[in-house]
Amino acid sequence: MGLLDGLLGNASKIDNAAIEQELAEVLAPGEAVEHVYKLIRDYFVFTNKRLVLVDKQGLTGSKVEYHSIPYKSITHFSVETAGSFDLDAELKIWISGTATPVQKTFNKKLSIYEVQAVLAAYVLG
C-alpha cells in the first residue's frame, strides 16, 4: 500500500498470515483468516465464519476494538465501482438492526469485484 493510498483512506489487500497471528486470541477454534484488507491502521478481515472489523485507536494503536459481524447478520450490500473522475470504489454493508451501513473505500489497485465475490460467497453461501 502506498503512502498516498493510506492518507486517502483507501484499502489494499494484505497477507493473511501476519493478521492471523495478530488475531489469534480473537479467533474461535477452527476459524481461519481468508482475506484481509488494510485501511491505514485498521483491518477489514474475512474469516471462514464472520467479518471482523479491526479498529486500532489512539496515537499508538495499542487500544483495539474488534467488531464481529456474523455473515448471517448481513442483510444486503452494495458495490460502487470507480469512475473516470472518482478513482475509488466503495463497498457498503447493511447489518440487521442498523440503519447506517458499514462503508469502506477501495483503490483501483484492488478489484472491488473480488471483494464483492468474497462477501457474496459467505453471505449467500
Side-chain angles (χ1 to χ4, degrees):
M1 181 170 83
L3 176 61
L4 186 57
D5 289 339
L7 293 173
L8 294 175
N10 294 332
S12 296
K13 188 164 185 171
I14 61 170
D15 182 47
N16 298 352
I19 299 305
E20 193 155 343
Q21 260 187 330
E22 186 177 322
L23 295 180
E25 294 180 294
V26 176
L27 297 176
E31 186 173 18
V33 172
E34 296 187 345
H35 302 275
V36 182
Y37 302 95
K38 185 174 183 179
L39 179 63
I40 305 176
R41 294 188 302 180
D42 301 339
Y43 301 103
F44 195 69
V45 182
F46 289 95
T47 76
N48 58 331
K49 298 181 183 266
R50 61 186 160 156
L51 174 61
V52 180
L53 303 176
V54 180
D55 180 14
K56 295 194 174 190
Q57 302 171 3
L59 293 174
T60 62
S62 59
K63 182 176 179 179
V64 181
E65 178 182 17
Y66 300 96
H67 189 108
S68 179
I69 305 168
Y71 294 119
K72 67 181 180 181
S73 296
I74 297 172
T75 58
H76 69 282
F77 55 91
S78 70
V79 172
E80 181 180 303
T81 60
S84 298
F85 297 105
D86 180 9
L87 301 178
D88 301 326
E90 292 183 356
L91 173 65
K92 295 179 186 174
I93 302 171
W94 283 265
I95 304 164
S96 61
T98 62
T100 306
V102 172
Q103 184 173 331
K104 297 294 177 187
T105 302
F106 296 84
N107 61 27
K108 269 192 149 181
K109 294 178 191 172
L110 176 66
S111 169
I112 193 70
Y113 296 111
E114 174 188 341
V115 177
Q116 185 278 153
V118 170
L119 184 58
Y122 289 119
V123 173
L124 303 173

